[in-house]
Amino acid sequence: MPEQDISEPRRPRPARSPWTVALLGLSVACPVGVLLLLADQPLRVSAPVLLAVLFTAVAAEWVNVHVEFRRQSFHSSASEVAFVIALLEVGGAWTAATRAAAVAVVLLAQRLPAAKVAFNTAVAVLEAGVATAILTLLPTGALAAPSTWLSCLLAVFAANVVGAGLVAGAITFTQGYPGRAIWTSLFVPVVVVQPVAVTIGLVVLLLLHTTLWSWLLVVPMAVALVLVYRRFAAVTRESHSLERVYEFARRVEEIEPDEAGTRQIVQAVRELLNAERVALWLPPYLDEGPRLVVATEDGADWYDGPGDSDDLVRRRAVASTGGAIRVSVGRADGPETAALARRGVSELLGAPVTTAAGEPGYLEVCDRRSDIVSFGRSERGALDSMLTHVNAAIRQQQLLTRIRYDADHDRLTGLPNRQRLADEVSRLVSPGGGGEAGLILASLGTYADVTDTLGHAASDELLLVTAGLLREHAPPRALLARMEREQFAVLLPGLSLAATEQAARRLREGAATRVRVAGLDLEVSLTIGVAAAPVHGTDAGTLMQRADVALLAAGSSGGVASYHPVLDQQSLRRLQLGTELEQAMADGQIGVVYQPVIDAHTSDIVSVETLVRWTHPRYGAIPPEDVTDHVLDLALARCRRWLDQGISLSVAVNVSARSLSEPDLVERVRGALARHQVPGELLVLELTESSVVDDSVRESAVLEDLHALGLRLSMDDFGTGYSSLSQLRQLPIDEVKIDKSFVLTMATSQGESFIARSIIELAHNLGLCVVAEGVEDEMTRNQLMAMGCDKLQGFLISRPLPEDRLEKWLLARTGVRSAAPGATHRRLFVRT
């Protein structure tokens, strides 16, 4: 194939008129023909012999193998059989005449342009002239003389070299140099195929000169040779198709999975199938609209037809289950002819493209650039093979689009998340962004009660209703986001502090209503904190932290509070919580629960996640990161008791981004392991995605230092944050936990199942273990096992249990395995 770079479509040079080349060829061929006629004037040939030679020339010219370069097609044929017979039997003049007549008849029958017919006819005359001149110079005697054979081989070889050179020159002159591969495709037949044809022609002549009855042998042999040659042509095309598929696969592997990569894929299909134009239509996906990507000869980026969902050819192709379909003018019915005319093409191949959007895409390839060759079975097979790679590339692009989308959107409500909000705040308060902006943080007061009383499904429904109310009552230019759990944020570009406070009160009043959730009428009540830039901060982190401080104060300030420095007492709060910890335990304010994690294939209990819940009489629900050391001590103490019983069972503890940024965290963990005499490999620290990609954490060595203690690092709730695969590759992470929002609906949602499968495959490719959270039924468990998930956690195995109930569960539901070879402790497994 011509060497072309798909990264940037080659600009076609202005085409010169093919008639220029044709007239140049005729201007040289006519004098050569006259010279041949004058040289052979004494030679007289009988009409039957002349007709036989002409018939042989036409038949031999008809059996050929076409080779394409851009818009040009040339062929390697068996015409040398007739060529050598004519040279030896009827002389140079009649050879030129019969050869030119045969070429003209065959090319006109194939409906080639007149200029191309004229040029090729001129080349036939010139080839005859070159061969005749060589035979005149070389010794030629009796037909049976080896010297005659050698002279014929050299004469025809020289003629074919001249002909191939003229064809290459014509292509280069009219359309530009097509690449080095043209010389191989032109001259390999000259060296390999055509000498064989000359030899066959000599054998035929020898037989006919021996006895005319030899035609009884020649005719079957000729038929057999035609069949072999046609098979050679078919094999050649199949080989070229296979080469095209391999070349396409190689190119697709090198293409980046982005919008430019999609265009490169389409361009590669066009080049490798030598098509006039190719179009790829992709359906809407997430926040992207439908896309039509077009690659054409003239550089156009759109044409009518493939983007229309009601187009007949597109509908048929998308509904096809048998691979690519072909529609051509010669075989089209009325509606199909109209569809082709709409595009301005004479034939096309159409095929469906698999996407992650739930709706198939569509790929169509229109018109071969060749004048002779059309789309055949080999091209359809090549396109079907290419589609495998196109589908894989499109699915990879959409997976990355999904990951990027999920990185800055909340899975439940579809709203932007904390990271997206932070980016927008940074843009607005930057020197070029205007500088002034208001930020509202709103907390849904009934969320915890609904979750505890009615369950997560009901609280999710309440969150969706609340998101709808906020969309309805937020100002038009506002950016609405969901932070986490029951918190929402509203970013108001260009508003002062006073205007933001006024908008916050209107928002709270507008959202205060009763809604129907889980069959009950529930009241939506918002607590709102307000901060504004540049009054309260000139960067996203400061502004969001101070809006959070205001939100904490809003509970005792009539539901709406603005930030004031007096409220900023986070360090004092943490100190107070530390001093009240023991008393809170005694008063029953803190509850510790444990949830087992099992091996998906052996049902061994591989770890137990330790969770803490603290409801403070003043501060309300205390996040786990505020009591990290206490949870770590409880978990390691529990692990030590299991070790004393001869049981090896890991414990998992959640660690926040704030804890990771504390300079003494590694020493505190090291001290806790030493204090409880627990080996590091029995401790798992679960990190949130936001903490892993936090700049301060990534720039420090805290993760490497923790990993050096022998413990395992697990990324919790993977898929809901904004980490990337390249970041995972650079961090000492041992496992990822698929967020339960993907797992809970796997059994009923192909999209969630696709995301889960993709995360598992990508994590395994990075050498990471995968844990699935939220496994609540056998169907989901079976799906995850089939996907190769390593560990399972969820209500199907066990709910989070207090320590006394955990012990009872272990006694009732588990068995004990002997210690593994080289180990000293036994293992627990869940009995079925």
Side-chain angles (χ1 to χ4, degrees):
M1 296 295 293
E3 293 184 346
Q4 298 183 29
D5 182 5
I6 66 171
S7 62
E8 181 175 317
R10 183 179 295 177
R11 292 178 179 269
R13 54 181 276 185
R16 295 186 175 93
S17 172
W19 274 110
T20 303
V21 177
L23 293 175
L24 284 172
L26 290 172
S27 66
V28 177
C30 288
V32 170
V34 171
L35 290 174
L36 290 172
L37 184 61
L38 293 174
D40 283 352
Q41 190 172 11
L43 183 62
R44 298 179 181 275
V45 181
S46 64
V49 172
L50 191 60
L51 288 175
V53 170
L54 179 60
F55 175 80
T56 304
V58 172
E61 192 69 35
W62 199 274
V63 181
N64 53 56
V65 178
H66 293 290
V67 182
E68 302 170 76
F69 271 97
R70 299 181 183 170
R71 292 185 174 275
Q72 301 294 337
S73 294
F74 54 89
H75 59 266
S76 171
S77 71
S79 60
E80 283 69 26
V81 174
F83 194 10
V84 73
I85 292 174
L87 284 171
L88 295 177
E89 291 296 315
V90 298
W94 287 115
T95 298
T98 55
R99 187 169 174 81
V103 169
V105 168
V106 171
L107 296 187
L108 287 173
Q110 293 174 343
R111 298 182 180 179
L112 261 67
K116 183 168 288 188
V117 174
F119 173 76
N120 282 279
T121 302
V123 170
V125 173
L126 292 173
E127 288 177 340
V130 171
T132 302
I134 298 296
L135 286 177
T136 302
L137 297 175
L138 294 177
T140 54
L143 181 60
S147 60
T148 302
W149 306 343
L150 181 60
S151 296
C152 289
L153 284 169
L154 292 175
V156 174
F157 176 78
N160 285 332
V161 168
V162 171
L166 290 172
V167 170
I171 293 175
T172 303
F173 181 81
T174 56
Q175 297 190 26
Y177 182 58
R180 293 194 306 269
I182 189 174
W183 302 107
T184 301
S185 297
L186 280 169
F187 287 101
V188 165
V190 171
V191 176
V192 176
V193 178
Q194 292 166 1
V196 175
V198 172
T199 303
I200 294 171
L202 291 171
V203 170
V204 170
L205 274 179
L206 286 170
L207 289 173
L208 291 174
H209 276 232
T210 302
T211 173
L212 289 177
W213 289 104
S214 59
W215 67 268
L216 294 174
L217 300 175
V218 171
V219 171
M221 182 178 69
V223 172
L225 288 174
V226 168
L227 294 176
V228 169
Y229 205 77
R230 286 191 177 278
R231 181 55 187 161
F232 170 75
V235 170
T236 300
R237 291 195 69 181
E238 290 172 3
S239 174
H240 288 167
S241 296
L242 189 60
E243 290 176 4
R244 288 197 294 266
V245 173
Y246 285 153
E247 174 69 8
F248 182 78
R250 183 188 65 78
R251 292 186 178 191
V252 169
E253 287 179 358
E254 298 172 356
I255 288 174
E256 293 294 326
D258 53 21
E259 186 170 350
T262 305
R263 187 168 298 279
Q264 290 175 329
I265 290 172
V266 175
Q267 181 68 16
V269 173
R270 190 183 77 85
E271 292 175 359
L272 295 175
L273 288 179
N274 196 32
E276 287 279 359
R277 64 179 76 159
V278 173
L280 172 64
W281 181 86
L282 295 174
Y285 185 61
L286 300 176
D287 56 350
E288 295 179 348
R291 287 192 295 157
L292 179 64
V293 184
V294 173
T296 64
E297 179 79 9
D298 58 5
D301 58 4
W302 182 88
Y303 67 90
D304 194 19
D308 183 4
S309 59
D310 293 326
D311 179 75
L312 172 69
V313 176
R314 175 175 150 182
R315 289 205 319 267
R316 280 186 51 201
V318 169
S320 171
T321 58
I325 67 168
R326 177 176 178 265
V327 180
S328 63
V329 169
R331 298 185 176 182
D333 56 22
E336 290 174 342
T337 302
L340 293 173
R342 177 185 190 182
R343 293 164 168 80
V345 301
S346 59
E347 68 170 338
L348 66 81
L349 298 177
V353 175
T354 303
T355 72
E359 178 183 356
Y362 171 61
L363 177 71
E364 74 173 30
V365 184
C366 299
D367 281 351
R368 293 295 286 267
R369 289 193 285 180
S370 165
D371 294 314
I372 300 176
V373 181
S374 60
F375 294 126
R377 184 164 51 187
S378 63
E379 283 71 32
R380 292 176 65 180
L383 181 58
D384 286 337
S385 298
M386 289 180 186
L387 279 171
T388 302
H389 302 285
V390 172
N391 290 337
I394 295 302
R395 288 171 70 89
Q396 182 184 11
Q397 289 180 12
Q398 292 184 326
L399 170 61
L400 293 178
T401 299
R402 180 82 205 198
I403 292 175
R404 285 193 292 266
Y405 179 87
D406 289 343
D408 56 15
H409 285 80
D410 173 56
R411 291 284 298 169
L412 176 65
T413 62
L415 296 174
N417 60 14
R418 175 183 287 274
Q419 176 61 26
R420 173 74 180 278
L421 177 70
D423 292 342
E424 290 297 320
V425 172
S426 297
R427 184 182 62 81
L428 287 174
V429 301
S430 65
E436 198 169 51
L439 180 62
I440 295 172
L441 287 187
S443 178
L444 181 58
T446 54
Y447 175 82
D449 292 338
V450 171
T451 302
D452 293 341
T453 306
L454 302 176
H456 287 286
S459 60
D460 287 349
E461 186 179 351
L462 179 61
L463 288 172
L464 289 170
V465 172
T466 304
L469 290 171
L470 291 174
R471 284 193 186 97
E472 180 181 351
H473 296 285
R477 294 180 55 208
L479 173 69
L480 181 60
R482 184 188 174 199
M483 306 296 278
E484 57 272 320
R485 291 177 58 82
E486 73 274 18
Q487 282 192 12
F488 293 86
V490 183
L491 179 62
L492 304 168
L495 264 64
S496 63
L497 175 60
T500 303
E501 290 173 337
Q502 188 176 11
R505 285 190 288 270
R506 285 200 301 266
L507 190 65
R508 185 171 187 270
E509 292 169 2
T513 184
R514 297 187 70 83
V515 296
R516 190 77 173 174
V517 174
L520 299 175
D521 289 330
L522 303 178
E523 183 176 355
V524 176
S525 176
L526 298 178
T527 303
I528 292 179
V530 175
V535 181
H536 297 145
T538 56
D539 63 87
T542 302
L543 196 65
M544 293 169 69
Q545 184 267 339
R546 290 179 172 174
D548 195 38
V549 170
L551 179 61
L552 291 174
S556 56
S557 304
V560 177
S562 296
Y563 172 77
H564 191 278
V566 174
L567 303 175
D568 199 3
Q569 300 177 354
Q570 292 302 302
S571 56
L572 178 62
R573 175 176 176 271
R574 291 185 65 194
L575 178 62
Q576 183 176 356
L577 291 176
T579 58
E580 294 178 356
L581 188 59
E582 291 187 9
Q583 186 61 43
M585 288 286 292
D587 294 344
Q589 296 175 8
I590 295 181
V592 179
V593 292
Y594 303 86
Q595 188 172 28
V597 179
I598 69 167
D599 186 288
H601 303 285
T602 66
S603 295
D604 285 1
I605 302 178
V606 292
S607 64
V608 174
E609 184 176 4
T610 308
L611 306 167
V612 65
R613 296 170 180 170
W614 182 4
T615 304
H616 193 278
R618 177 181 175 186
Y619 298 124
I622 305 301
E625 55 263 30
D626 286 341
V627 287
T628 297
D629 289 353
H630 177 64
V631 179
L632 185 61
D633 271 323
L634 288 174
L636 291 177
R638 176 67 269 183
C639 184
R640 180 67 258 173
R641 289 196 291 275
W642 278 322
L643 287 172
D644 292 339
Q645 298 170 13
I647 301 296
S648 175
L649 191 55
S650 299
V651 289
V653 175
N654 291 279
V655 178
S656 68
R658 188 172 70 192
S659 298
L660 288 174
S661 64
E662 294 169 351
D664 61 341
L665 174 66
V666 176
E667 290 305 315
R668 293 190 341 245
V669 174
R670 190 197 312 274
L673 289 169
R675 187 164 56 253
H676 294 282
Q677 297 182 357
V678 172
E681 60 265 21
L682 292 183
L683 175 62
V684 179
L685 295 185
E686 296 189 0
L687 319 172
T688 61
E689 285 193 74
S690 57
S691 68
V692 169
V693 298
D694 184 86
D695 288 340
S696 61
V697 172
R698 293 177 59 198
E699 293 169 3
S700 70
V702 61
L703 296 181
E704 287 77 7
D705 292 341
L706 287 170
H707 205 261
L709 298 178
L711 51 82
R712 294 172 59 83
L713 298 179
S714 174
M715 179 178 286
D716 199 12
D717 301 333
F718 182 76
T720 61
Y722 40 91
S723 61
S724 70
L725 299 178
S726 60
Q727 290 171 328
L728 283 181
R729 194 190 305 272
Q730 299 163 8
L731 297 172
I733 301 297
D734 299 292
E735 68 179 26
V736 295
K737 298 185 74 173
I738 306 175
D739 184 67
K740 64 182 179 182
S741 63
F742 300 115
V743 177
L744 288 172
T745 56
M746 273 181 52
T748 57
S749 170
Q750 290 185 349
E752 306 298 338
S753 180
F754 171 73
I755 294 293
R757 181 186 298 275
S758 300
I759 290 175
I760 292 170
E761 291 177 355
L762 292 170
H764 284 170
N765 289 338
L766 294 175
L768 303 178
C769 183
V770 182
V771 183
E773 295 181 290
V775 182
E776 295 189 359
D777 57 75
E778 287 291 345
M779 182 179 294
T780 302
R781 173 179 183 161
N782 293 338
Q783 281 185 280
L784 289 165
M785 289 177 65
M787 293 176 186
C789 184
D790 303 293
K791 303 176 185 178
L792 307 175
Q793 180 179 0
F795 286 1
L796 179 65
I797 294 93
S798 172
R799 293 175 177 272
L801 302 171
E803 185 173 6
D804 58 338
R805 291 181 58 192
L806 175 67
E807 288 297 326
K808 294 177 181 178
W809 184 87
L810 291 174
L811 288 173
R813 293 288 307 280
T814 66
V816 179
R817 295 192 196 278
S818 301
T824 58
H825 296 89
R826 297 170 297 166
R827 295 165 295 159
L828 298 179
F829 67 96
V830 177
R831 291 195 297 263
T832 56

